[in-house]
Amino acid sequence: APKTVRTQDTPQRHASLNDWGYFFAYNAYDPSGQHQSGPITFDAPDAIDLLADGSAPNFIAGADISGPFDYQWYGCDYAGGLYSIDTSNGAMTYIGPTISVNGMTHDEITGTWYVTSSNYLYTMDITTGSTTLIGPHGVANTLIGLACDNWGNIYAYDVLWTGDSTLYSINKATGAATAIGSMGYGFVYAQDCGYDHDYSMLYIAGYFNDGTPSALLTCDVETGECVIVGSFEGRMEVDGLATLPW
């Protein structure tokens, strides 16, 4: 897929929670020093609001906001640990221990929470953090990020040091990953994806393997092709990406 960049604009704004931005995420690391690590919110990637200093031992590596009625933000630490996160002030409440997590998503149709860890798919009990193994993804590279669309389809992508990453669909019954296509960019280190349920759009909070400044991207779930919306303020590594549910 070709590398496509468009001039930065603000993603379509939805009625936000608590007058904050539409996107919620976690600043895993900001090399510029502008922001401490912790929960963040934004409408555009070059204008980040830090909600609070983070209290996770490492960083939130997977997150989602449940909907369409309760709007609860949950996230998992990279090395394990489930938290609820207050969308108004970023306060994190520890729920329980978990396995290490590379991605997390909520299926709005069934109410099921899924996580990926070490290239295996699990369901998660959001009240305790306990997980049930579904099965292996069956791919060589580590899959990162999970996002579930309006029809219950789950997507993930791989991280690698060189070359372009691949977007995959994930079988919820077996965990098996099926390649959709090249994303046109290579991704590495802390990052995540989230699905916009109102406008049926997959977003990537990408950290690139070729030195390109970290950025918010859209991703075509039919082809895998990504388009850069704009660079993140301070070149920060943005993880635990979630958008407001419908």
Side-chain angles (χ1 to χ4, degrees):
K3 290 179 169 59
T4 309
V5 180
R6 71 167 183 252
T7 57
Q8 177 153 334
D9 55 13
T10 301
Q12 290 178 297
R13 177 93 184 246
H14 303 231
S16 63
L17 297 177
N18 307 304
D19 296 322
W20 286 114
Y22 173 63
F23 295 95
F24 291 84
Y26 197 93
N27 171 27
Y29 175 64
D30 180 359
S32 74
Q34 296 180 63
H35 294 296
Q36 297 293 320
S37 294
I40 59 174
T41 184
F42 60 93
D43 277 331
D46 64 344
I48 304 292
D49 287 308
L50 179 69
L51 292 171
D53 290 346
S55 59
N58 298 281
F59 57 88
I60 295 299
D64 207 352
I65 298 176
S66 61
F69 304 113
D70 51 356
Y71 301 115
Q72 296 298 310
W73 186 13
Y74 295 99
C76 284
D77 185 85
Y78 172 73
L82 174 64
Y83 296 82
S84 64
I85 309 171
D86 192 316
T87 56
S88 66
N89 58 25
M92 299 175 60
T93 301
Y94 180 74
I95 295 174
T98 70
I99 58 177
S100 62
V101 167
N102 297 112
M104 179 180 187
T105 193
H106 181 241
D107 184 341
E108 303 288 352
I109 296 176
T110 65
T112 305
W113 285 84
Y114 295 91
V115 297
T116 180
S117 175
S118 301
N119 273 8
Y120 284 83
L121 184 69
Y122 299 79
T123 58
M124 175 174 283
D125 184 334
I126 207 66
T127 65
T128 65
S130 64
T131 51
T132 300
L133 175 65
I134 295 176
H137 296 315
V139 295
N141 296 320
T142 299
L143 294 192
I144 195 168
L146 279 182
C148 188
D149 69 15
N150 296 340
W151 301 273
N153 303 303
I154 294 181
Y155 305 96
Y157 61 102
D158 59 1
V159 289
L160 65 170
W161 292 104
T162 59
D164 290 345
S165 294
T166 298
L167 180 70
Y168 292 87
S169 62
I170 306 298
N171 186 311
K172 294 188 294 185
T174 67
T178 300
I180 293 174
S182 172
M183 301 174 78
Y185 295 91
F187 299 107
V188 72
Y189 295 127
Q191 56 193 282
D192 198 14
C193 58
Y195 195 82
D196 180 339
H197 293 280
D198 284 342
Y199 292 97
S200 301
M201 178 62 68
L202 179 64
Y203 283 97
I204 309 292
Y207 198 88
F208 302 97
N209 63 15
D210 63 358
T212 299
S214 60
L216 181 71
L217 306 94
T218 59
C219 182
D220 187 329
V221 297
E222 298 293 331
T223 67
E225 180 183 356
C226 288
V227 176
I228 291 179
V229 175
S231 298
F232 282 116
E233 180 180 334
R235 293 179 173 237
M236 67 171 57
E237 292 181 48
V238 175
D239 214 329
L241 182 67
T243 63
L244 296 183
W246 44 15

